[in-house]
Amino acid sequence: MKQVTTGNFLFHDFRDSLGIEVVYEKHVTHDFSRHTHRTLCIGVIEDGMRTLLCRGNEYKVIPGQIFLIPPNEAHSCRPALESHTYRLLLLSSDVLRMILPNFDEENNVFYRLVLEDKDLFEQLLKLHLILDSSETSFIKQSLVVSVVGDVVEQCVDRQHNLNIRHKQHESIKRAQEYIEEHYEENFSLDDIAA
């Protein structure tokens, strides 16, 4: 894991172990000019207000709301007030395909860019804290897939038949048996999937 901390900025690179990057920035006062990310970005505002300009629309994102920036989507961001504090997850295509097996980066399937869901907002905050903890990779991976899956499910266009993965009883039973047999080991989701 690569970590960069400067002043009010914290960056963790979990791409090798979890397929994600994490950004936390406090008291942001600068603008982010028009740019893109190769990854799906899911963010939360903790304090202040952020203006997101995307798809010709302007969104004012406030604490308690979740914002989503699809891969390769041109956008810009700026504080709507004097400053804002935000957290951002940048998810690789591999992680996204764990949730949306038929995901194609060329087709934009995300129709909803801002959502208000208090429980999901709290889950995302908790996820950020756990990612920065000494918790096992398995727990971190499990939470990433679960929480991101809940966000994605609310933001994708159902017309695209992406087959959002839902837990199946047989698979869960086999995973449970593996966990019970290997509970003393430091295993990952890939181990359980195998």
Side-chain angles (χ1 to χ4, degrees):
M1 173 196 67
K2 178 181 171 186
Q3 179 176 326
V4 176
T5 306
T6 56
N8 293 334
F9 178 78
L10 175 66
F11 170 80
H12 284 179
D13 186 344
F14 295 107
R15 283 178 291 183
D16 289 341
S17 59
L18 302 173
I20 63 171
E21 297 166 275
V22 178
V23 175
Y24 175 56
E25 194 163 5
K26 291 169 46 176
H27 312 299
V28 178
T29 58
H30 58 278
D31 293 357
F32 295 89
S33 60
R34 193 166 170 82
H35 64 284
T36 63
H37 302 275
R38 291 184 305 217
T39 59
L40 172 67
C41 300
I42 297 174
V44 295
I45 303 298
E46 288 188 352
D47 184 52
M49 185 187 302
R50 181 181 187 122
T51 300
L52 170 65
L53 301 166
C54 190
R55 297 179 177 169
N57 296 313
E58 180 177 285
Y59 303 92
K60 301 280 188 191
V61 189
I62 59 174
Q65 291 182 325
I66 300 163
F67 65 93
L68 184 136
I69 303 167
N72 304 312
E73 187 83 49
H75 65 283
S76 61
C77 308
R78 66 176 185 267
L81 303 171
E82 290 182 14
S83 72
H84 68 282
T85 297
Y86 73 98
R87 293 181 183 269
L88 190 65
L89 292 176
L90 294 91
L91 300 118
S92 71
S93 296
D94 290 339
V95 172
L96 195 49
R97 282 192 190 93
M98 290 174 87
I99 298 160
L100 297 170
N102 298 333
F103 175 70
D104 177 3
E105 292 178 23
E106 301 301 316
N107 296 323
N108 192 340
V109 298
F110 299 98
Y111 77 97
R112 192 171 180 191
L113 301 185
V114 176
L115 60 122
E116 194 162 336
D117 183 316
K118 184 179 178 184
D119 291 336
L120 200 46
F121 178 85
E122 293 298 326
Q123 288 178 41
L124 280 165
L125 287 180
K126 181 179 176 184
L127 174 60
H128 276 269
L129 297 176
I130 288 173
L131 289 171
D132 197 28
S133 76
S134 61
E135 195 57 80
T136 66
S137 292
F138 171 73
I139 296 295
K140 290 177 181 181
Q141 287 176 325
S142 298
L143 285 172
V144 166
V145 171
S146 174
V147 174
V148 169
D150 288 346
V151 172
V152 166
E153 190 167 17
Q154 292 191 41
C155 296
V156 295
D157 184 349
R158 300 288 182 167
Q159 295 177 31
H160 289 277
N161 189 23
L162 294 168
N163 298 324
I164 295 172
R165 286 207 172 141
H166 291 286
K167 297 178 177 107
Q168 297 173 343
H169 181 69
E170 237 178 85
S171 298
I172 292 171
K173 189 68 175 160
R174 285 195 312 270
Q176 181 182 10
E177 289 168 2
Y178 180 88
I179 292 167
E180 288 171 357
E181 291 172 14
H182 299 88
Y183 70 93
E184 291 181 352
E185 300 171 22
N186 186 11
F187 52 82
S188 69
L189 280 179
D190 290 335
D191 297 328
I192 292 175

